[in-house]
Amino acid sequence: MLKNPDYSILFEPVKIGPVTAPNRFYQVPHASGMTEANPRVRAAFRETKAEGGWGVVSTGAVSTHPSSDDSPLPFGRMWDENDIRSHTLCTDAIHKHGSLAAVELWHGGASVMNRTSRIAPYSPSGIPWAATHVGFMGNLRPRIMDEKDIRDVIQWQVDAAIRAKKAGFDIIYIYAGMGYLGYEFLIEEYNHRTDAYGGSTENRTRFVRELIEATKDAVGDSCGVALRISLEELRGKPSDNYQSEAHEVVTLLSDVPDLWDVKMDSSPTDCGASRFWEEGSHEPIIDFVKKITDKPVVGVGRFTSPDKMVSQIKRGILDLIGGARAGIADPFLPKKIREGRLEDIRECIGCNICISSWHDGVPVRCTQNATAGEEWRKGWHPEKFETPGTDDAVLIVGGGPAGLEAGLIAAKRGYQVTIADKTDTLGGRLNFEASLPGLSAWGRVKDYRLYALQQMANVNLYPASEMNAEDILELGHQRIVIATGSYWTKMLWSSLEIPVGTLDKANVYTPDDIASGTVPESPVLVYDFDNYYMGGVIAEHLVNQGCDVSYATPAGHASAWTLMTNELPLIYQRLEEKHIDVTTQTLLTDKNNDIAIMRDVFTNKESEIKAKSIVIVGHRAPNNSLYQTLISQPDALSEAGIKSVDIIGDAHAPGALVHAVYAGHQYARGLDQKEAKLYLRDLPITETGPGKVI
Ligand code: ADP
Ligand code: SF4
């Protein structure tokens, strides 16, 4: 039943070739880190989206042939009959909820190194894709495809499409985006061919057209055939007779596919972090497509607001609202909109931890939704919670992300929950961090949880309540959770990453000092070996406070780990904009008056950086003294009726927000559970067993 008629347009069916999507919520293909090695994990992850109301649910990239082998990154396969059953598990699960299942068939071309299959990669003209990009670097250059290679790739797409149809998929993709093979043919710089597949835009479009037409001939009678295409680069290219090459390509192919799935060209812009991109950031690139084609168009933009979704449709930008991250953070987003429960939507914060999971080669993890990827392994449903085994009352000390999540899930299970925090405002580290430049969306982690907790009758929230061991023993709760967070130290490390003491000198600070309002005297050096966002963002924050700031790190890049979250290039651009000098591969060894003494990590050559003040963004240590005090007095605990004392989140092991939320969730799910299982182990499903010839 639809609560708000303004949103009725979102629940209209949309025809995609011979199939019909039941509504406009379309979970576009996105990486999940799940492959044929964990088919049940994959099926349950996708099923949850269908259950949550997504009318179409897609796979991530599914390789058509061993020459599209992205290992060690995870990807699906449709290489032979052996792969069908594990995909059927997924399509059956999606169909159970009345949704359509889509498969993103994919050939990686020159952007894969075929590290497992050892086949020389395929490309139009032997030009590698992102060959110098750290993290994807390889030392094999691709082959130049001949006529037979072209015919082979098209045949593999057809064979895979036929298998996909057998596996129950309703929509079959052709992939021409993100540097993969179809894209390489479209872009002049990658395609230097002089045959019918190179030269004019029409010729460069031919390969993609043939892939679509062959797929349609094979399965188009009963399956929708979708084209996924990146338009950023093409839109920037002039065309003789059209507004841009993107306009020309879309015109040339306009009604060939049954669906246009339009996107950006590279991960940092396509899956843009909220620190740099607003909701709906793709619109200036993809807004023209619907004006050219009569076929439905789907696109993404981290949409979580139903008003913005409706506006995309009413203004003629999109027909289907694509969601990847929005659906990872809240698989039940469509249902919540339908039922008018907008405040229950767990909005994506745009941190891109999900994409970092793919770069790590593991199943997806999400900061906002601890159940993502754990639906089958741990049996965690994002909206259903086991009833309590006892009437124990739970006291949580610390209302940061870990404490709030533990409290929320324990309360949803039905426990009586108390959260006490020493500060006036619950939210822990987020109270400061969400105020830093670009990180306001991260505040959703606390806002969503605090709002939900405030609605619940079985929850008491006590800000401004510092707790010590005596207070806890007196309170009469049976379950104690210590979620007291961590603190930044002034510890330094050697080039071998061995701790070499603490730089306890005047005008040396940590992010905790900055959080409590210190504005250091300029010039300020931010010395970062945390390597995630904090060093870069503190440097930017201090510039905004009027400081003259430089940045140094022993790593090879500023904020080096943000390569994993697609933020690295944008962070560099921001540091440049803010006139922050960056020195890499350098260790801070000492401070003498207004000089920071640095040493090259490889050559040991000494250098100096002018710095009246230094902010060390390095090692964090747990605030675990309250926990230690409590567990050191077992008799007092049992006298007070306390059954358990646990420590979670940063107080246990300092980490990113995702770790803290997960730890809180895991605690609350495990409370009173008889069997403390780690997780269920998934196994491949095969038809023929090992040893099949490919
Ligand atoms: P996490 O990320 O693990 O949730 P945070 O650092 O964000 O950790 O949050 C820890 C919270 O614990 C902070 O809000 C802090 O004020 C609170 N806290 C720390 N020690 C105590 C204490 N003794 N009593 C009450 N609250 C505490
Ligand atoms: Fe959104 Fe972050 Fe979750 Fe990814 S990990 S879906 S960006 S909240």
Side-chain angles (χ1 to χ4, degrees):
M1 132 273 327
L2 177 65
K3 233 355 199 302
N4 185 342
D6 292 351
Y7 302 144
S8 61
I9 198 168
L10 299 174
F11 296 92
E12 290 170 353
V14 178
K15 225 172 131 23
I16 301 169
V19 297
T20 302
N23 59 41
R24 295 183 190 265
F25 291 94
Y26 192 114
Q27 184 249 279
V28 291
H30 71 78
S32 68
M34 298 161 193
T35 68
E36 290 66 47
N38 39 20
R40 296 164 191 84
V41 169
R42 181 169 69 179
F45 173 68
R46 301 294 181 190
E47 176 177 5
T48 310
K49 314 282 185 71
E51 190 190 349
W54 294 85
V56 180
V57 178
S58 313
T59 63
V62 173
S63 166
T64 57
H65 184 263
S67 59
S68 180
D69 158 19
D70 212 5
S71 48
L73 291 174
F75 59 92
R77 289 160 185 78
M78 197 66 90
W79 289 352
D80 56 37
E81 303 294 305
N82 228 7
D83 291 322
I84 293 177
R85 266 221 297 152
S86 78
H87 285 289
T88 307
L89 208 64
C90 195
T91 55
D92 284 350
I94 293 166
H95 289 155
K96 241 195 270 171
H97 303 277
S99 306
L100 298 179
V103 60
E104 184 186 45
L105 294 183
W106 156 80
H107 198 290
S111 80
V112 294
M113 288 291 153
N114 296 339
R115 290 178 173 95
T116 303
S117 67
R118 304 188 70 175
I119 297 170
Y122 284 56
S123 77
S125 304
I127 313 291
W129 165 261
T132 55
H133 197 308
V134 62
F136 304 101
M137 212 181 269
N139 42 25
L140 176 62
R141 297 294 171 257
R143 72 170 73 180
I144 299 167
M145 288 166 74
D146 61 19
E147 181 69 30
K148 178 180 179 304
D149 292 331
I150 291 178
R151 298 272 74 80
D152 284 348
V153 173
I154 294 171
Q155 190 57 48
W156 297 331
Q157 163 80 24
V158 166
D159 295 345
I162 292 167
R163 288 181 204 115
K165 181 178 160 178
K166 274 196 208 160
F169 285 105
D170 309 288
I171 298 171
I172 316 280
Y173 269 76
I174 284 85
Y175 204 165
M178 304 285 282
Y180 298 126
L181 189 56
Y183 177 92
E184 291 161 15
F185 271 86
L186 292 176
I187 306 287
E188 208 171 5
E189 284 75 4
Y190 289 96
N191 182 347
H192 303 173
R193 300 179 76 92
T194 51
D195 61 4
Y197 295 92
S200 66
T201 312
E202 185 172 5
N203 277 0
R204 283 183 273 122
T205 309
R206 190 178 312 281
F207 177 63
V208 173
R209 172 189 283 279
E210 288 181 0
L211 282 168
I212 304 170
E213 287 172 347
T215 307
K216 272 187 125 173
D217 285 349
V219 296
D221 56 333
S222 58
C223 298
V225 174
L227 172 63
R228 191 166 221 208
I229 187 166
S230 293
L231 295 172
E232 203 177 351
E233 183 73 23
L234 288 169
R235 182 121 198 214
K237 287 183 181 301
S239 154
D240 291 341
N241 302 312
Y242 298 84
Q243 214 174 311
S244 73
E245 275 199 14
H247 290 73
E248 190 175 353
V249 168
V250 176
T251 307
L252 284 165
L253 294 176
S254 90
D255 287 345
V256 183
D258 297 320
L259 171 76
W260 284 86
D261 180 337
V262 291
K263 60 186 331 228
M264 308 291 262
D265 294 41
S266 72
S267 240
T269 49
D270 190 58
C271 181
S274 62
R275 188 169 161 191
F276 302 101
W277 302 103
E278 295 285 333
E279 189 171 344
S281 63
H282 293 199
E283 187 176 325
I285 298 297
I286 56 90
D287 59 356
F288 71 95
V289 179
K290 253 189 74 59
K291 295 186 180 75
I292 297 178
T293 176
D294 291 329
K295 302 292 177 171
V297 177
V298 62
V300 292
R302 207 166 43 78
F303 294 115
T304 54
S305 145
D307 294 317
K308 291 209 171 119
M309 297 175 190
V310 169
S311 149
Q312 289 281 317
I313 294 160
K314 290 203 166 152
R315 288 186 297 115
I317 311 295
L318 298 174
D319 297 293
L320 293 138
I321 301 300
R325 288 173 293 175
I328 298 173
D330 196 341
F332 277 65
L333 181 135
K335 272 214 165 132
K336 289 176 183 175
I337 295 175
R338 184 189 274 278
E339 291 165 9
R341 296 192 289 129
L342 301 192
E343 60 294 335
D344 287 349
I345 296 172
R346 201 172 34 244
E347 288 182 281
C348 166
I349 67 165
C351 61
N352 283 359
I353 284 294
C354 47
I355 194 80
S356 81
S357 326
W358 179 62
H359 293 147
D360 272 340
V362 297
V364 69
R365 294 161 293 197
C366 171
T367 300
Q368 274 285 56
N369 176 14
T371 69
E374 304 294 353
E375 300 84 354
W376 186 84
R377 283 201 332 160
K378 292 209 171 75
W380 291 354
H381 188 283
E383 302 293 318
K384 293 181 192 156
F385 304 91
E386 310 77 6
T387 48
T390 66
D391 56 6
D392 291 345
V394 184
L395 170 66
I396 298 167
V397 183
L404 292 178
E405 177 74 356
L408 179 59
I409 303 307
K412 285 195 174 193
R413 287 190 57 195
Y415 287 94
Q416 192 65 41
V417 170
T418 302
I419 305 180
D421 196 289
K422 67 180 177 188
T423 61
D424 293 344
T425 322
L426 277 80
R429 55 191 275 198
L430 279 167
N431 287 326
F432 170 58
E433 293 186 20
S435 76
L436 289 168
L439 299 188
S440 63
W442 292 25
R444 291 171 174 179
V445 170
K446 97 179 145 90
D447 297 342
Y448 162 76
R449 288 169 180 77
L450 263 180
Y451 176 81
L453 285 161
Q454 281 157 356
Q455 311 311 307
M456 300 174 92
N458 54 335
V459 173
N460 289 307
L461 302 177
Y462 292 110
S465 304
E466 179 155 11
M467 306 292 288
N468 60 29
E470 288 75 51
D471 300 330
I472 293 168
L473 290 170
E474 271 168 26
L475 265 178
H477 287 62
Q478 291 73 44
R479 303 285 182 179
I480 310 300
V481 187
I482 304 299
T484 45
S486 63
Y487 63 97
W488 293 92
T489 71
K490 296 177 187 172
M491 196 185 272
L492 295 180
W493 291 350
S494 74
S495 55
L496 294 175
E497 301 196 347
I498 294 169
V500 288
T502 293
L503 192 64
D504 238 335
K505 291 198 166 176
N507 297 332
V508 175
Y509 304 101
T510 71
D512 293 330
D513 299 310
I514 309 304
S516 49
T518 303
V519 181
E521 233 182 303
S522 290
V524 187
L525 170 67
V526 173
Y527 176 63
D528 178 14
F529 62 94
D530 171 65
N531 298 329
Y532 190 18
Y533 59 94
M534 186 57 93
V537 90
I538 282 272
E540 192 183 339
H541 168 70
L542 292 177
V543 170
N544 294 350
Q545 304 264 298
C547 300
D548 169 13
V549 181
S550 59
Y551 169 102
T553 177
H557 290 91
S559 299
W561 193 79
T562 62
L563 176 73
M564 305 294 270
T565 52
N566 291 343
E567 292 165 293
L568 187 68
L570 297 139
I571 289 176
Y572 263 86
Q573 288 163 22
R574 183 61 56 80
L575 294 174
E576 173 70 16
E577 250 170 57
K578 297 278 174 188
H579 306 292
I580 297 167
D581 276 346
V582 173
T583 314
T584 56
Q585 291 167 203
T586 189
L587 287 160
L588 171 66
T589 58
D590 204 353
K591 178 176 190 291
N592 286 337
N593 301 317
D594 294 349
I595 299 292
I597 314 294
M598 315 300 294
R599 197 171 65 218
D600 187 277
V601 288
F602 298 129
T603 64
N604 284 331
K605 192 173 163 205
E606 282 216 345
S607 62
E608 297 180 345
I609 296 177
K610 267 200 187 154
K612 259 207 165 89
S613 321
I614 298 178
V615 182
I616 300 177
V617 185
H619 181 71
R620 279 193 289 154
N623 290 323
N624 58 10
S625 57
L626 179 58
Y627 174 74
Q628 299 297 350
T629 310
L630 281 171
I631 59 164
S632 69
Q633 28 188 325
D635 294 345
L637 291 175
S638 69
E639 236 170 75
I642 292 173
K643 293 187 187 166
S644 63
V645 180
D646 287 88
I647 183 162
I648 62 168
D650 291 330
H652 187 219
L657 292 175
V658 63
H659 302 115
V661 172
Y662 175 81
H665 197 97
Q666 188 177 36
Y667 170 81
R669 290 276 186 177
L671 199 53
D672 280 337
Q673 295 299 293
K674 281 189 198 75
E675 200 190 343
K677 60 175 193 284
L678 196 55
Y679 59 80
L680 292 177
R681 184 178 164 207
D682 206 351
L683 291 170
I685 301 170
T686 58
E687 293 291 342
T688 56
K692 184 161 180 358
V693 177
I694 286 179

